[in-house]
Amino acid sequence: MKVLIDACVLYPTVMREMVLGCAAQGLFAPRWSARVLEEWARAAGKLGAAEEVWARGEIATLGAQFPDAMIRYDAGIERRFWLPDTGDIHVLAAAVAGSCDAILTMNAKDFPRNILDDEGLHRLDPDGFLLDLWRDAPQSVQAVADNVLAEARRLSGQDWTLRALLKKARLPRLGKALTAD
């Protein structure tokens, strides 16, 4: 499944690491555009210049890790689309141009299902998407979550629990599923 990942999923870190960790496991094919990546870098830049530099480094690394992920398209295609937030039309255009199956976003209201249906696309929220991946490949998703947790502990110096970390990252259903006894 080819999934266009919106900038709001790529930034924040834990959500991005969970989603892209699952992509690295071969559970889906990630897709994005230069504009989506630029939105991520600019959002990080709001926290300071160093954060933007870090984001741009991460973006370069992703280009090497997922060489087929970048969708290039003629910006003129955007004129054929309408969305409630015109600032998101580029996401829809990239998904269509890249023959994606879905758009992964936190912004449900900006991507009405009826419009996406017309283009043969599904709208997915990260928590539900990752939960579905876990149901299909529990060991792979658990391994990703364990790595993300270890890195969060290392970087923050805090003794996070997986459920608390994923809840903070707006992935509460996944966190609950991964920690159920």
PDB file of all heavy atoms in Angstrom, residues 3 9-10 22-23 25 34 47 50 55-56 69 77 83 90 99 105-107 115 117 121-123 132 134 140 151 155:
ATOM      1  N   VAL A   3       1.265   5.101   0.769  1.00  0.00           N
ATOM      2  CA  VAL A   3       0.614   6.045   1.667  1.00  0.00           C
ATOM      3  C   VAL A   3       1.360   7.374   1.646  1.00  0.00           C
ATOM      4  O   VAL A   3       2.549   7.424   1.970  1.00  0.00           O
ATOM      5  CB  VAL A   3       0.569   5.484   3.106  1.00  0.00           C
ATOM      6  CG1 VAL A   3      -0.070   6.484   4.052  1.00  0.00           C
ATOM      7  CG2 VAL A   3      -0.176   4.154   3.138  1.00  0.00           C
ATOM      8  N   VAL A   9       2.130  14.429  10.381  1.00  0.00           N
ATOM      9  CA  VAL A   9       2.469  13.091  10.873  1.00  0.00           C
ATOM     10  C   VAL A   9       3.994  12.940  10.957  1.00  0.00           C
ATOM     11  O   VAL A   9       4.510  12.265  11.835  1.00  0.00           O
ATOM     12  CB  VAL A   9       1.844  12.001   9.979  1.00  0.00           C
ATOM     13  CG1 VAL A   9       2.294  10.609  10.390  1.00  0.00           C
ATOM     14  CG2 VAL A   9       0.321  12.111  10.007  1.00  0.00           C
ATOM     15  N   LEU A  10       4.696  13.595  10.045  1.00  0.00           N
ATOM     16  CA  LEU A  10       6.162  13.535  10.061  1.00  0.00           C
ATOM     17  C   LEU A  10       6.758  14.332  11.212  1.00  0.00           C
ATOM     18  O   LEU A  10       7.877  14.077  11.648  1.00  0.00           O
ATOM     19  CB  LEU A  10       6.715  14.050   8.726  1.00  0.00           C
ATOM     20  CG  LEU A  10       6.435  13.153   7.528  1.00  0.00           C
ATOM     21  CD1 LEU A  10       6.804  13.862   6.241  1.00  0.00           C
ATOM     22  CD2 LEU A  10       7.149  11.824   7.666  1.00  0.00           C
ATOM     23  N   CYS A  22       7.629   1.426  10.843  1.00  0.00           N
ATOM     24  CA  CYS A  22       6.781   0.405  10.221  1.00  0.00           C
ATOM     25  C   CYS A  22       7.027   0.331   8.716  1.00  0.00           C
ATOM     26  O   CYS A  22       7.035  -0.752   8.130  1.00  0.00           O
ATOM     27  CB  CYS A  22       5.313   0.674  10.529  1.00  0.00           C
ATOM     28  SG  CYS A  22       4.888   0.348  12.259  1.00  0.00           S
ATOM     29  N   ALA A  23       7.264   1.485   8.097  1.00  0.00           N
ATOM     30  CA  ALA A  23       7.596   1.493   6.666  1.00  0.00           C
ATOM     31  C   ALA A  23       8.916   0.760   6.433  1.00  0.00           C
ATOM     32  O   ALA A  23       9.050  -0.014   5.478  1.00  0.00           O
ATOM     33  CB  ALA A  23       7.668   2.918   6.142  1.00  0.00           C
ATOM     34  N   GLN A  25      10.029  -1.631   8.064  1.00  0.00           N
ATOM     35  CA  GLN A  25       9.754  -3.060   8.221  1.00  0.00           C
ATOM     36  C   GLN A  25       9.059  -3.643   6.982  1.00  0.00           C
ATOM     37  O   GLN A  25       8.757  -4.825   6.939  1.00  0.00           O
ATOM     38  CB  GLN A  25       8.875  -3.299   9.455  1.00  0.00           C
ATOM     39  CG  GLN A  25       9.537  -2.995  10.773  1.00  0.00           C
ATOM     40  CD  GLN A  25      10.494  -4.094  11.188  1.00  0.00           C
ATOM     41  OE1 GLN A  25      10.252  -5.259  10.961  1.00  0.00           O
ATOM     42  NE2 GLN A  25      11.605  -3.702  11.787  1.00  0.00           N
ATOM     43  N   ALA A  34       8.242  17.174  -1.984  1.00  0.00           N
ATOM     44  CA  ALA A  34       9.191  18.169  -1.481  1.00  0.00           C
ATOM     45  C   ALA A  34       8.471  19.203  -0.623  1.00  0.00           C
ATOM     46  O   ALA A  34       8.999  19.649   0.402  1.00  0.00           O
ATOM     47  CB  ALA A  34       9.919  18.841  -2.645  1.00  0.00           C
ATOM     48  N   LEU A  47      10.677  26.175  16.435  1.00  0.00           N
ATOM     49  CA  LEU A  47      11.265  25.925  17.750  1.00  0.00           C
ATOM     50  C   LEU A  47      12.715  26.405  17.821  1.00  0.00           C
ATOM     51  O   LEU A  47      13.349  26.295  18.869  1.00  0.00           O
ATOM     52  CB  LEU A  47      11.200  24.442  18.095  1.00  0.00           C
ATOM     53  CG  LEU A  47       9.795  23.864  18.236  1.00  0.00           C
ATOM     54  CD1 LEU A  47       9.863  22.368  18.496  1.00  0.00           C
ATOM     55  CD2 LEU A  47       9.036  24.558  19.352  1.00  0.00           C
ATOM     56  N   ALA A  50      18.263  25.535  15.193  1.00  0.00           N
ATOM     57  CA  ALA A  50      18.880  24.218  15.355  1.00  0.00           C
ATOM     58  C   ALA A  50      17.873  23.106  15.059  1.00  0.00           C
ATOM     59  O   ALA A  50      18.232  22.073  14.480  1.00  0.00           O
ATOM     60  CB  ALA A  50      19.449  24.054  16.755  1.00  0.00           C
ATOM     61  N   ALA A  55      15.846  18.837  11.437  1.00  0.00           N
ATOM     62  CA  ALA A  55      14.791  18.305  10.571  1.00  0.00           C
ATOM     63  C   ALA A  55      15.314  18.108   9.154  1.00  0.00           C
ATOM     64  O   ALA A  55      15.046  17.078   8.519  1.00  0.00           O
ATOM     65  CB  ALA A  55      13.575  19.225  10.574  1.00  0.00           C
ATOM     66  N   ARG A  56      16.073  19.058   8.656  1.00  0.00           N
ATOM     67  CA  ARG A  56      16.604  18.934   7.292  1.00  0.00           C
ATOM     68  C   ARG A  56      17.589  17.768   7.197  1.00  0.00           C
ATOM     69  O   ARG A  56      17.668  17.093   6.167  1.00  0.00           O
ATOM     70  CB  ARG A  56      17.212  20.241   6.839  1.00  0.00           C
ATOM     71  CG  ARG A  56      16.136  21.315   6.646  1.00  0.00           C
ATOM     72  CD  ARG A  56      16.631  22.557   5.943  1.00  0.00           C
ATOM     73  NE  ARG A  56      15.603  23.581   5.925  1.00  0.00           N
ATOM     74  CZ  ARG A  56      14.546  23.600   5.094  1.00  0.00           C
ATOM     75  NH1 ARG A  56      14.395  22.642   4.201  1.00  0.00           N
ATOM     76  NH2 ARG A  56      13.670  24.582   5.155  1.00  0.00           N
ATOM     77  N   ALA A  69      10.297   7.205  -2.251  1.00  0.00           N
ATOM     78  CA  ALA A  69       9.203   7.884  -1.551  1.00  0.00           C
ATOM     79  C   ALA A  69       8.846   9.249  -2.133  1.00  0.00           C
ATOM     80  O   ALA A  69       7.706   9.689  -2.006  1.00  0.00           O
ATOM     81  CB  ALA A  69       9.536   8.028  -0.069  1.00  0.00           C
ATOM     82  N   ILE A  77      -1.264  20.587 -11.693  1.00  0.00           N
ATOM     83  CA  ILE A  77      -2.281  19.602 -11.343  1.00  0.00           C
ATOM     84  C   ILE A  77      -3.126  20.072 -10.158  1.00  0.00           C
ATOM     85  O   ILE A  77      -4.295  19.708 -10.037  1.00  0.00           O
ATOM     86  CB  ILE A  77      -1.647  18.216 -11.045  1.00  0.00           C
ATOM     87  CG1 ILE A  77      -2.725  17.134 -10.941  1.00  0.00           C
ATOM     88  CG2 ILE A  77      -0.824  18.245  -9.795  1.00  0.00           C
ATOM     89  CD1 ILE A  77      -2.181  15.729 -10.716  1.00  0.00           C
ATOM     90  N   LEU A  83     -10.168  21.635  -1.719  1.00  0.00           N
ATOM     91  CA  LEU A  83     -10.249  21.163  -0.342  1.00  0.00           C
ATOM     92  C   LEU A  83     -10.659  22.337   0.538  1.00  0.00           C
ATOM     93  O   LEU A  83     -10.414  23.494   0.177  1.00  0.00           O
ATOM     94  CB  LEU A  83      -8.895  20.619   0.139  1.00  0.00           C
ATOM     95  CG  LEU A  83      -8.452  19.265  -0.395  1.00  0.00           C
ATOM     96  CD1 LEU A  83      -7.015  18.963   0.032  1.00  0.00           C
ATOM     97  CD2 LEU A  83      -9.387  18.148   0.064  1.00  0.00           C
ATOM     98  N   HIS A  90      -1.899  20.705  -2.131  1.00  0.00           N
ATOM     99  CA  HIS A  90      -0.670  20.073  -2.608  1.00  0.00           C
ATOM    100  C   HIS A  90      -0.536  18.636  -2.102  1.00  0.00           C
ATOM    101  O   HIS A  90       0.050  17.781  -2.787  1.00  0.00           O
ATOM    102  CB  HIS A  90       0.559  20.900  -2.211  1.00  0.00           C
ATOM    103  CG  HIS A  90       0.873  20.873  -0.760  1.00  0.00           C
ATOM    104  ND1 HIS A  90       1.780  19.990  -0.222  1.00  0.00           N
ATOM    105  CD2 HIS A  90       0.380  21.602   0.282  1.00  0.00           C
ATOM    106  CE1 HIS A  90       1.844  20.188   1.091  1.00  0.00           C
ATOM    107  NE2 HIS A  90       1.002  21.149   1.417  1.00  0.00           N
ATOM    108  N   SER A  99      -0.060   8.018  -7.361  1.00  0.00           N
ATOM    109  CA  SER A  99      -0.906   6.813  -7.367  1.00  0.00           C
ATOM    110  C   SER A  99      -0.973   6.166  -5.991  1.00  0.00           C
ATOM    111  O   SER A  99      -0.892   4.938  -5.841  1.00  0.00           O
ATOM    112  CB  SER A  99      -0.393   5.795  -8.398  1.00  0.00           C
ATOM    113  OG  SER A  99      -0.406   6.350  -9.689  1.00  0.00           O
ATOM    114  N   THR A 105      -2.935  11.409   7.794  1.00  0.00           N
ATOM    115  CA  THR A 105      -2.979  12.773   8.313  1.00  0.00           C
ATOM    116  C   THR A 105      -3.710  12.831   9.642  1.00  0.00           C
ATOM    117  O   THR A 105      -4.540  11.971   9.938  1.00  0.00           O
ATOM    118  CB  THR A 105      -3.652  13.726   7.299  1.00  0.00           C
ATOM    119  OG1 THR A 105      -3.579  15.069   7.768  1.00  0.00           O
ATOM    120  CG2 THR A 105      -5.099  13.339   7.036  1.00  0.00           C
ATOM    121  N   MET A 106      -3.387  13.859  10.404  1.00  0.00           N
ATOM    122  CA  MET A 106      -4.121  14.149  11.636  1.00  0.00           C
ATOM    123  C   MET A 106      -5.282  15.104  11.358  1.00  0.00           C
ATOM    124  O   MET A 106      -6.105  15.340  12.221  1.00  0.00           O
ATOM    125  CB  MET A 106      -3.192  14.788  12.673  1.00  0.00           C
ATOM    126  CG  MET A 106      -2.068  13.898  13.151  1.00  0.00           C
ATOM    127  SD  MET A 106      -2.632  12.504  14.132  1.00  0.00           S
ATOM    128  CE  MET A 106      -3.299  13.323  15.565  1.00  0.00           C
ATOM    129  N   ASN A 107      -5.337  15.657  10.179  1.00  0.00           N
ATOM    130  CA  ASN A 107      -6.294  16.712   9.832  1.00  0.00           C
ATOM    131  C   ASN A 107      -7.496  16.168   9.066  1.00  0.00           C
ATOM    132  O   ASN A 107      -7.656  16.425   7.871  1.00  0.00           O
ATOM    133  CB  ASN A 107      -5.594  17.804   9.006  1.00  0.00           C
ATOM    134  CG  ASN A 107      -4.469  18.453   9.771  1.00  0.00           C
ATOM    135  OD1 ASN A 107      -4.557  18.632  10.979  1.00  0.00           O
ATOM    136  ND2 ASN A 107      -3.408  18.802   9.072  1.00  0.00           N
ATOM    137  N   ILE A 115     -14.416  13.767  -1.096  1.00  0.00           N
ATOM    138  CA  ILE A 115     -13.463  14.282  -2.085  1.00  0.00           C
ATOM    139  C   ILE A 115     -12.374  13.238  -2.338  1.00  0.00           C
ATOM    140  O   ILE A 115     -11.995  12.975  -3.485  1.00  0.00           O
ATOM    141  CB  ILE A 115     -12.862  15.621  -1.625  1.00  0.00           C
ATOM    142  CG1 ILE A 115     -13.959  16.694  -1.633  1.00  0.00           C
ATOM    143  CG2 ILE A 115     -11.684  16.037  -2.510  1.00  0.00           C
ATOM    144  CD1 ILE A 115     -13.545  18.019  -1.034  1.00  0.00           C
ATOM    145  N   ASP A 117     -12.647  10.019  -1.886  1.00  0.00           N
ATOM    146  CA  ASP A 117     -13.277   8.896  -2.581  1.00  0.00           C
ATOM    147  C   ASP A 117     -13.289   9.117  -4.086  1.00  0.00           C
ATOM    148  O   ASP A 117     -13.038   8.196  -4.865  1.00  0.00           O
ATOM    149  CB  ASP A 117     -14.710   8.668  -2.095  1.00  0.00           C
ATOM    150  CG  ASP A 117     -14.805   8.067  -0.709  1.00  0.00           C
ATOM    151  OD1 ASP A 117     -13.770   7.581  -0.193  1.00  0.00           O
ATOM    152  OD2 ASP A 117     -15.911   8.094  -0.133  1.00  0.00           O
ATOM    153  N   LEU A 121      -8.880   7.571  -3.052  1.00  0.00           N
ATOM    154  CA  LEU A 121      -7.998   7.636  -1.888  1.00  0.00           C
ATOM    155  C   LEU A 121      -8.776   7.418  -0.595  1.00  0.00           C
ATOM    156  O   LEU A 121      -9.956   7.760  -0.505  1.00  0.00           O
ATOM    157  CB  LEU A 121      -7.322   9.013  -1.812  1.00  0.00           C
ATOM    158  CG  LEU A 121      -6.288   9.322  -2.880  1.00  0.00           C
ATOM    159  CD1 LEU A 121      -6.019  10.816  -2.922  1.00  0.00           C
ATOM    160  CD2 LEU A 121      -5.008   8.561  -2.590  1.00  0.00           C
ATOM    161  N   HIS A 122      -8.069   6.900   0.398  1.00  0.00           N
ATOM    162  CA  HIS A 122      -8.609   6.788   1.748  1.00  0.00           C
ATOM    163  C   HIS A 122      -7.880   7.785   2.637  1.00  0.00           C
ATOM    164  O   HIS A 122      -6.721   8.097   2.396  1.00  0.00           O
ATOM    165  CB  HIS A 122      -8.385   5.376   2.319  1.00  0.00           C
ATOM    166  CG  HIS A 122      -9.050   4.315   1.536  1.00  0.00           C
ATOM    167  ND1 HIS A 122     -10.392   4.070   1.589  1.00  0.00           N
ATOM    168  CD2 HIS A 122      -8.547   3.428   0.644  1.00  0.00           C
ATOM    169  CE1 HIS A 122     -10.690   3.073   0.781  1.00  0.00           C
ATOM    170  NE2 HIS A 122      -9.587   2.670   0.187  1.00  0.00           N
ATOM    171  N   ARG A 123      -8.569   8.259   3.661  1.00  0.00           N
ATOM    172  CA  ARG A 123      -7.925   9.092   4.680  1.00  0.00           C
ATOM    173  C   ARG A 123      -7.700   8.213   5.900  1.00  0.00           C
ATOM    174  O   ARG A 123      -8.624   7.554   6.377  1.00  0.00           O
ATOM    175  CB  ARG A 123      -8.812  10.281   5.046  1.00  0.00           C
ATOM    176  CG  ARG A 123      -8.154  11.199   6.080  1.00  0.00           C
ATOM    177  CD  ARG A 123      -9.101  12.275   6.584  1.00  0.00           C
ATOM    178  NE  ARG A 123     -10.129  11.662   7.424  1.00  0.00           N
ATOM    179  CZ  ARG A 123     -11.430  11.896   7.314  1.00  0.00           C
ATOM    180  NH1 ARG A 123     -11.903  12.711   6.406  1.00  0.00           N
ATOM    181  NH2 ARG A 123     -12.287  11.315   8.137  1.00  0.00           N
ATOM    182  N   ASP A 132      -3.942  -0.951  12.875  1.00  0.00           N
ATOM    183  CA  ASP A 132      -4.218  -1.951  11.839  1.00  0.00           C
ATOM    184  C   ASP A 132      -2.941  -2.687  11.428  1.00  0.00           C
ATOM    185  O   ASP A 132      -2.958  -3.906  11.219  1.00  0.00           O
ATOM    186  CB  ASP A 132      -4.866  -1.303  10.610  1.00  0.00           C
ATOM    187  CG  ASP A 132      -6.323  -0.930  10.840  1.00  0.00           C
ATOM    188  OD1 ASP A 132      -6.940  -1.434  11.800  1.00  0.00           O
ATOM    189  OD2 ASP A 132      -6.844  -0.127  10.048  1.00  0.00           O
ATOM    190  N   TRP A 134      -0.418  -3.208  13.339  1.00  0.00           N
ATOM    191  CA  TRP A 134      -0.113  -4.088  14.471  1.00  0.00           C
ATOM    192  C   TRP A 134      -0.961  -5.357  14.407  1.00  0.00           C
ATOM    193  O   TRP A 134      -0.467  -6.450  14.670  1.00  0.00           O
ATOM    194  CB  TRP A 134      -0.332  -3.340  15.789  1.00  0.00           C
ATOM    195  CG  TRP A 134      -0.220  -4.216  16.984  1.00  0.00           C
ATOM    196  CD1 TRP A 134       0.916  -4.721  17.551  1.00  0.00           C
ATOM    197  CD2 TRP A 134      -1.303  -4.736  17.767  1.00  0.00           C
ATOM    198  NE1 TRP A 134       0.609  -5.510  18.635  1.00  0.00           N
ATOM    199  CE2 TRP A 134      -0.752  -5.531  18.784  1.00  0.00           C
ATOM    200  CE3 TRP A 134      -2.684  -4.595  17.697  1.00  0.00           C
ATOM    201  CZ2 TRP A 134      -1.535  -6.183  19.718  1.00  0.00           C
ATOM    202  CZ3 TRP A 134      -3.470  -5.237  18.631  1.00  0.00           C
ATOM    203  CH2 TRP A 134      -2.891  -6.021  19.637  1.00  0.00           C
ATOM    204  N   SER A 140       6.375  -7.148  14.238  1.00  0.00           N
ATOM    205  CA  SER A 140       7.097  -6.062  13.572  1.00  0.00           C
ATOM    206  C   SER A 140       6.795  -4.723  14.224  1.00  0.00           C
ATOM    207  O   SER A 140       7.706  -3.926  14.487  1.00  0.00           O
ATOM    208  CB  SER A 140       6.725  -6.004  12.083  1.00  0.00           C
ATOM    209  OG  SER A 140       7.149  -7.174  11.429  1.00  0.00           O
ATOM    210  N   GLU A 151      14.833   4.783  22.356  1.00  0.00           N
ATOM    211  CA  GLU A 151      15.424   6.050  21.894  1.00  0.00           C
ATOM    212  C   GLU A 151      14.837   7.232  22.661  1.00  0.00           C
ATOM    213  O   GLU A 151      15.562   8.171  23.012  1.00  0.00           O
ATOM    214  CB  GLU A 151      15.198   6.209  20.386  1.00  0.00           C
ATOM    215  CG  GLU A 151      15.895   7.396  19.780  1.00  0.00           C
ATOM    216  CD  GLU A 151      17.409   7.303  19.775  1.00  0.00           C
ATOM    217  OE1 GLU A 151      18.000   6.318  20.270  1.00  0.00           O
ATOM    218  OE2 GLU A 151      18.035   8.262  19.276  1.00  0.00           O
ATOM    219  N   LEU A 155      17.193   9.768  24.746  1.00  0.00           N
ATOM    220  CA  LEU A 155      17.267  11.196  24.423  1.00  0.00           C
ATOM    221  C   LEU A 155      16.724  12.092  25.532  1.00  0.00           C
ATOM    222  O   LEU A 155      17.236  13.181  25.756  1.00  0.00           O
ATOM    223  CB  LEU A 155      16.522  11.479  23.119  1.00  0.00           C
ATOM    224  CG  LEU A 155      17.168  10.925  21.848  1.00  0.00           C
ATOM    225  CD1 LEU A 155      16.253  11.131  20.654  1.00  0.00           C
ATOM    226  CD2 LEU A 155      18.524  11.565  21.612  1.00  0.00           C
TER     227      LEU A 155
END
